Amino acid sequence: DGGITQSPKYLFRKEGQNVTLSCEQNLNHDAMYWYRQDPGQGLRLIYYSQIVNDFQKGDIAEGYSVSREKKESFPLTVTSAQKNPTAFYLCASTIPGAMNTEAFFGQGTRLTVV
Amino acid sequence: GNSVTQMEGPVTLSEEAFLTINCTYTATGYPSLFWYVQYPGEGLQLLLKATKADDKGSNKGFEATYRKETTSFHLEKGSVQVSDSAVYFCALWDLTGRRALTFGSGTRLQVQP
């Protein structure tokens, strides 16, 4: 079945450590996105990529980094520079450029700093 | 820039009650509008969408009409069920600007038996 797989589902990080969240899709979508979800704040865009080897900052990119070396993969690294990383992280993909396109979401990764 | 405003929750209803969740938007272009639903511990699923003014999106008994004159896309359902308990997100997609979904803050719906 086609879809988006995020791993791990739960992740614990010590302060000062970098961690990488995985996002893989087999939908053959060109565009991929990372969102952060905090209670009462909805989803905020961290980074997005419309095509392989290209990505743009979203609204809250500070303290995060991404790469897009393959069409099906868009990993997110939460660096030690991110001051408050505890949150629920969602990855999504779409066909770029279509007004009525549906965004497909992974099941999310809950990151907790301990 | 683009923004989406939703009514704050939680919204608590009894089973078979009528549901309205308000959503208004600000956009520089002519966006497509969406409602997504999130069940506990899961990602988001598309509930319905509308791509131009006066379009009505519908799915699973939910409806929303794209009102350009009031920049609104309110979600309605005539008779809610316990299984509708979830968080609902209004979102817009504007191809004239950044090509990514902009979400509202979400509205939690709790349906009691």
Side-chain angles (χ1 to χ4, degrees):
Chain A
D1 286 337
I4 297 184
T5 301
Q6 289 187 242
S7 61
K9 190 173 176 68
Y10 299 96
L11 186 58
F12 297 89
R13 190 196 90 171
K14 292 183 180 179
E15 289 203 28
Q17 283 183 337
N18 292 354
V19 289
T20 297
L21 283 58
S22 170
C23 177
E24 303 277 334
Q25 55 99 357
N26 60 3
L27 298 165
N28 201 34
H29 287 169
D30 285 309
M32 296 186 74
Y33 310 82
W34 275 105
Y35 288 90
R36 170 178 169 144
Q37 184 177 13
D38 296 282
Q41 294 196 46
L43 277 70
R44 294 182 290 168
L45 184 66
I46 305 173
Y47 269 97
Y48 62 108
S49 168
Q50 297 290 321
I51 198 166
V52 175
N53 293 322
D54 187 43
F55 50 83
Q56 289 79 40
K57 294 182 179 180
D59 298 317
I60 56 165
E62 184 176 351
Y64 299 97
S65 66
V66 293
S67 62
R68 187 80 190 282
E69 297 175 1
K70 299 186 295 183
K71 187 176 184 177
E72 58 271 20
S73 179
F74 191 41
L76 173 74
T77 297
V78 184
T79 74
S80 57
Q82 169 49 236
K83 291 182 173 55
N84 183 21
T86 295
F88 191 53
Y89 292 87
L90 286 162
C91 180
S93 72
T94 68
I95 301 170
M99 284 292 283
N100 61 353
T101 190
E102 174 181 355
F104 289 82
F105 283 82
Q107 295 294 296
T109 293
R110 186 166 298 280
L111 173 63
T112 304
V113 173
V114 296
Chain B
N2 297 337
S3 67
V4 177
T5 302
Q6 288 181 237
M7 61 188 289
E8 289 194 20
V11 173
T12 303
L13 296 173
S14 297
E15 209 164 20
E16 299 184 2
F18 184 86
L19 168 71
T20 300
I21 300 178
N22 290 338
C23 170
T24 57
Y25 68 89
T26 302
T28 53
Y30 298 93
S32 293
L33 301 174
F34 303 82
W35 277 100
Y36 281 83
V37 59
Q38 183 180 36
Y39 298 101
E42 297 186 5
L44 276 66
Q45 305 171 26
L46 178 67
L47 181 59
L48 53 84
K49 63 186 178 187
T51 59
K52 61 182 188 296
D54 300 325
D55 268 1
K56 177 185 283 188
S58 61
N59 186 27
K60 299 180 181 179
F62 291 90
E63 292 182 339
T65 300
Y66 190 143
R67 302 286 188 200
K68 188 167 181 289
E69 63 276 13
T70 54
T71 61
S72 66
F73 193 54
H74 304 322
L75 182 68
E76 296 182 336
K77 187 175 186 184
S79 177
V80 294
Q81 305 299 313
V82 172
S83 57
D84 294 327
S85 299
V87 181
Y88 293 82
F89 292 92
C90 186
L92 70 82
W93 180 282
D94 183 2
L95 281 182
T96 64
R98 183 174 67 188
R99 296 189 178 193
L101 283 166
T102 299
F103 286 90
S105 57
T107 302
R108 180 175 299 279
L109 171 65
Q110 298 172 336
V111 181
Q112 298 174 338

